[in-house]
Amino acid sequence: MKLSLFNEFKNIIVLDTETSGLSFKGDEIIELAMLRVCNKGSGFEILDEFDEFIRLSPGRVLPQKITELTGITPLMLETQGLEKAVVCRALENMFSVEKPLVVAYNSQFDMCFLYYFLAKYGDTSVLRNIKMLDAMTVYKDRRPFPHKLCNAIEQYNVDAVNSHRAIDDTKAAFEVLVAMAEEKDDLMSYINLFGYNPKYGVSGSKISSVTYKPQGYEPGIPVYEL
């Protein structure tokens, strides 16, 4: 099993967030999961694994629909959740490893939430010059609509679960990434390149280091060749 991304990057950090809603500025991260994966020659090894709940700010209420979707309850956040500053330090430490590549499925969503999270409770400079790869952008170049993580898991028949819990979705995203590389290892062409639906435009604030290109529902010319 090979992944040519390791020719350029020493650490691949796969992450996922669960949030109290869809607004990058108005809602909050309630769970953050991160895996730091390295290449050990004969295979991959997870060197660091982080998965923690995050307490809501005072006065915030977790919507019932989020509990129904994720299984995360207000009591879990209150009794098991970490303070935001503590999670920021863990995030900053993870991103400070040697030659990291940050991977997520729908990276635009997660990175926007992380930026505002760090802006309030940590240090956004840790994101400076970070290289990113959006696994969903790759998948949309490979398979027709729909493009949810559960669809990618099914299409590539990987042994993973999409549970709407951050740690499960993080592990699933990495398995999908490996499967896509085995199918066609052009993943280096997607570094800091995010596709977006031309009907709706880019969701959230644009990331200055990222190139955005319109990407339709059906695969065609790879977005990096447009």
Side-chain angles (χ1 to χ4, degrees):
M1 187 181 301
K2 295 182 179 180
L3 198 58
S4 65
L5 292 171
F6 282 116
N7 296 334
E8 180 70 21
F9 302 98
K10 188 170 183 178
N11 295 278
I12 293 180
I13 300 167
V14 192
L15 62 81
D16 185 67
T17 62
E18 296 300 332
T19 64
S20 62
L22 300 178
S23 172
F24 311 108
K25 297 180 180 180
D27 292 306
E28 297 189 351
I29 300 173
I30 58 173
E31 185 185 17
L32 172 64
M34 299 180 287
L35 299 176
R36 180 167 71 92
V37 186
C38 292
N39 184 19
K40 291 300 181 180
S42 59
F44 309 125
E45 181 177 349
I46 297 175
L47 296 185
D48 284 323
E49 182 173 330
F50 179 91
D51 178 34
E52 297 289 348
F53 296 127
I54 305 172
R55 290 181 185 172
L56 288 172
S57 298
R60 292 273 187 170
V61 177
L62 185 67
Q64 177 62 31
K65 64 181 180 181
I66 299 299
T67 296
E68 293 171 357
L69 180 66
T70 65
I72 300 172
T73 67
L75 181 62
M76 293 164 68
L77 298 181
E78 179 62 29
T79 59
Q80 302 175 42
L82 298 182
E83 295 293 341
K84 292 177 172 62
V86 174
V87 177
C88 279
R89 286 196 293 270
L91 178 63
E92 291 160 6
N93 289 337
M94 184 73 81
F95 278 27
S96 297
V97 298
E98 184 180 358
K99 293 184 178 179
L101 172 68
V102 177
V103 177
Y105 197 90
N106 192 6
S107 294
Q108 176 69 12
F109 180 88
D110 293 301
M111 296 309 296
C112 283
F113 262 98
L114 289 178
Y115 177 82
Y116 286 110
F117 181 63
L118 287 167
K120 289 183 179 180
Y121 308 104
D123 182 5
T124 58
S125 68
V126 72
L127 300 177
R128 192 175 298 140
N129 300 320
I130 282 287
K131 302 296 185 182
M132 294 166 281
L133 188 150
D134 178 26
M136 188 172 75
T137 294
V138 182
Y139 182 68
K140 289 172 74 174
D141 269 353
R142 306 289 183 87
R143 299 291 189 275
F145 184 83
H147 296 123
K148 294 181 179 180
L149 179 57
C150 61
N151 305 124
I153 291 170
E154 181 181 3
Q155 285 291 314
Y156 285 101
N157 194 30
V158 300
D159 185 19
V161 176
N162 173 215
S163 66
H164 293 292
R165 284 295 304 276
I167 191 62
D168 290 336
D169 290 359
T170 297
K171 293 178 178 179
F174 181 70
E175 294 298 324
V176 168
L177 184 76
V178 172
M180 291 191 297
E182 291 177 342
E183 179 181 59
K184 181 181 180 182
D185 200 357
D186 60 350
L187 301 187
M188 282 297 301
S189 299
Y190 291 91
I191 302 300
N192 283 15
L193 174 62
F194 292 0
Y196 67 89
N197 189 319
K199 181 178 179 180
Y200 302 107
V202 176
S203 176
S205 302
K206 287 187 176 182
I207 302 168
S208 60
S209 60
V210 170
T211 298
Y212 294 89
K213 292 192 176 183
Q215 192 175 31
Y217 287 113
E218 302 296 325
I221 299 173
V223 68
Y224 56 80
E225 293 184 358
L226 294 177

